[in-house]
């Protein structure tokens, strides 16, 4: 079968590799679509020191079940499924509590410890499969992973009813956070970013006010709009130091800051503000696929419009090396690979 194999920094190759065979409790999936994630690009560039080539990358995909391993009972041949990418052990203290993202012995498909999904077929444990109805077409199914991460991240936020919420970073994650905040009864949602083409989508996802920090000061506007008090919840979904700093400076005393964006390890944090103002700082490492599937299936969150680019497997090496995704050229928002 054909697969996109990462052979080292800046080296992704389409190769012929053996088709995997499902082990006990696993299923073989004929890949239909895989979402392109920022993590793929980080791996491609060689920015993760602990990931070794060769590796088939890709982890936001799904397809049709074509073979079932011994012990598989719930999933059947021919099912349309999306695969949860964290391979958790199921036995450690965290898994027993349902905190699969914190599993002591986890692996991530296409990231570390297991081959990925930019391939014509991949295998995955039955317990990682979520059945999709015909209502969700393949390109949109790829958005389940992103939405599942934000659903989990949002669950970590203690948000009282009628809260004010500021979301930094209008990528798919940030837009989903706006939608979830509104769903949970936010009184006002601010969306802060630097790209007008992304901010423009804000109102559709529930943002009441969008602020482009290239033209305006988010801190001044939000402070003025909240009578100087700031917002109850800040979601940092930009992965930028500036966003975290600005976010903390408009967080109400006792408010909650969700660190969702991926930061470098060196981001400085004002500990005194956390102490003095009793900020709750929460992180997010898991996902909730079951809820994400329901939200998309019922049309509660629109994901279709976020898909800006569609690729074939063969296009991937160029898409990664050209800067299209990295520099978000051509109004790139979210890409999917279709098979
Ligand atoms: Zn991802
Ligand atoms: Zn575990």
């Amino acid at each position: 079968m054909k697969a996109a194999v990462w052979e080292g920094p800046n080296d992704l190759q389409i190769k012929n590799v053996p088709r995997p065979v499902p082990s006990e409790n696993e299923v073989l999936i004929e890949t239909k679509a895989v979402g392109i994630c920022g993590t793929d690009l980080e791996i491609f560039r060689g920015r993760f020191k602990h990931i070794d080539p060769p590796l088939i990358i890709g982890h936001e995909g799904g397809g049709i079940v074509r073979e079932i391993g011994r012990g598989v009972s719930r999933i059947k041949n021919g099912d349309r499924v999306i695969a949860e990418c964290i391979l958790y052990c199921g036995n450690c203290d965290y898994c027993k509590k349902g905190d699969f993202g914190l599993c002591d012995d986890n692996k991530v498909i296409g990231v570390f410890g297991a081959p990925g999904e930019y391939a014509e077929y991949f295998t995955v444990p039955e317990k990682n499969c979520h059945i999709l109805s015909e209502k969700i077409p393949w390109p949109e199914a790829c958005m389940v992973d992103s939405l599942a991460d934000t659903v989990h991240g949002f669950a970590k936020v203690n948000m009282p009813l009628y809260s004010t919420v500021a979301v930094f970073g209008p990528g798919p994650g940030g837009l989903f956070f706006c939608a979830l905040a509104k769903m949970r009864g936010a009184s006002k949602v601010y969306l802060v970013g630097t790209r007008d083409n992304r901010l423009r989508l804000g109102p559709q996802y529930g943002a009441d006010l969008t602020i482009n920090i290239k033209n305006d000061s988010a801190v001044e506007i939000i402070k003025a709009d909240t009578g100087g008090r700031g917002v109850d919840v800040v979601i940092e979904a930009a992965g930028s130091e500036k966003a975290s700093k600005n976010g903390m400076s408009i967080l109400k005393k006792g408010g909650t800051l969700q660190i969702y964006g991926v930061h470098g390890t060196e981001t400085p944090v004002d500990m005194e503000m956390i102490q003095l103002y009793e900020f709750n700082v929460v992180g997010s490492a898991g996902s909730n696929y079951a809820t994400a599937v329901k939200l998309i299936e019922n049309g509660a969150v629109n994901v279709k419009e976020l898909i800006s680019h569609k690729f074939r497997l063969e296009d991937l090496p160029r898409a990664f090396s050209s800067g299209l995704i990295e520099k978000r050229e051509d109004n790139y928002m979210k890409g999917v690979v279709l098979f």
Side-chain angles (χ1 to χ4, degrees):
M1 66 167 189
K2 274 190 291 180
V5 185
W6 177 65
E7 292 284 351
N10 303 314
D11 186 8
L12 186 70
Q13 294 177 21
I14 307 299
K15 289 193 154 176
N16 260 313
V17 301
R19 186 205 277 199
V21 178
S23 308
E24 192 171 359
N25 300 319
E26 281 186 349
V27 301
L28 177 78
I29 294 170
E30 179 192 344
T31 315
K32 285 290 172 190
V34 187
I36 297 177
C37 177
T39 305
D40 299 332
L41 197 69
E42 297 291 308
I43 298 171
F44 172 73
R45 292 290 182 210
R47 294 193 189 116
F48 292 125
K49 297 287 162 257
H50 60 285
I51 300 176
D52 295 318
L55 175 74
I56 299 172
I57 58 174
H59 61 268
E60 298 189 353
I64 298 169
V65 175
R66 290 299 183 208
E67 209 180 313
I68 53 176
R70 248 186 332 119
V72 170
S73 56
R74 181 176 59 95
I75 299 293
K76 310 256 175 303
N77 256 322
D79 280 347
R80 298 172 87 239
V81 297
I82 192 85
E84 191 166 345
C85 62
I86 299 174
L87 300 174
Y88 50 93
C89 77
N91 299 316
C92 72
D93 287 351
Y94 295 106
C95 283
K96 281 179 186 152
K97 280 196 289 174
D99 289 333
F100 304 121
L102 302 178
C103 172
D104 276 333
D105 188 25
N106 70 2
K107 299 181 178 102
V108 184
I109 293 175
V111 179
F112 60 88
E117 302 165 1
Y118 292 142
E120 289 173 301
Y121 294 87
F122 65 96
T123 54
V124 66
E126 175 188 30
K127 67 183 195 300
N128 283 58
C129 293
H130 296 265
I131 296 177
L132 299 170
S133 75
E134 297 288 340
K135 275 195 225 164
I136 308 183
W138 283 117
E140 285 153 57
C142 295
M143 300 303 289
V144 169
D145 183 84
S146 308
L147 183 58
D149 291 352
T150 56
V151 169
H152 177 83
F154 207 90
K156 298 283 158 192
V157 175
N158 171 24
M159 190 186 123
L161 273 177
Y162 216 57
S163 290
T164 46
V165 179
V167 178
F168 287 76
L175 291 165
F176 291 152
F177 271 114
C178 291
L180 298 176
K182 266 284 141 93
M183 222 175 272
R184 281 261 292 266
S187 60
K188 189 151 189 181
V189 176
Y190 305 88
L191 178 63
V192 182
T194 58
R195 291 168 202 271
D196 280 328
N197 67 305
R198 293 183 166 206
L199 288 167
R200 220 171 285 134
L201 290 165
Q204 275 167 261
Y205 286 82
D208 298 288
L209 187 63
T210 60
I211 305 164
N212 188 331
I213 53 166
K214 282 190 170 160
N215 315 321
D216 296 300
S217 161
V219 174
E220 275 173 28
I221 292 172
I222 294 172
K223 268 200 175 147
D225 206 47
T226 53
R229 277 188 301 276
V231 292
D232 299 291
V233 174
V234 167
I235 310 282
E236 201 298 291
S240 99
E241 191 182 322
K242 193 172 171 197
S244 331
K245 265 196 189 139
N246 285 344
M248 272 172 79
S249 68
I250 52 146
L251 186 57
K252 199 188 267 183
K253 291 180 215 173
T256 299
L257 172 66
Q258 164 62 269
I259 302 291
Y260 182 80
V262 180
H263 284 69
T265 48
E266 306 288 313
T267 306
V269 177
D270 188 341
M271 296 300 236
E272 196 175 355
M273 281 179 90
I274 299 174
Q275 181 262 327
L276 221 52
Y277 301 142
E278 297 190 358
F279 288 161
N280 303 296
V281 181
V282 295
S284 181
S287 53
N288 183 337
Y289 278 63
T291 302
V293 169
K294 262 189 246 163
L295 289 170
I296 297 176
E297 216 161 58
N298 297 334
V301 178
N302 168 19
V303 296
K304 194 175 172 185
E305 282 193 52
L306 301 185
I307 300 168
S308 60
H309 289 73
K310 291 173 185 165
F311 301 96
R312 311 299 306 179
L313 185 66
E314 294 77 10
D315 303 331
L316 272 188
R318 247 184 72 80
F320 282 126
S321 59
S322 66
L324 170 76
I325 300 168
E326 196 162 34
K327 302 198 183 80
R328 297 173 180 127
E329 289 162 359
D330 189 27
N331 286 340
Y332 180 87
M333 177 66 129
K334 178 82 179 181
V336 299
V337 183
L338 298 174
F339 288 75

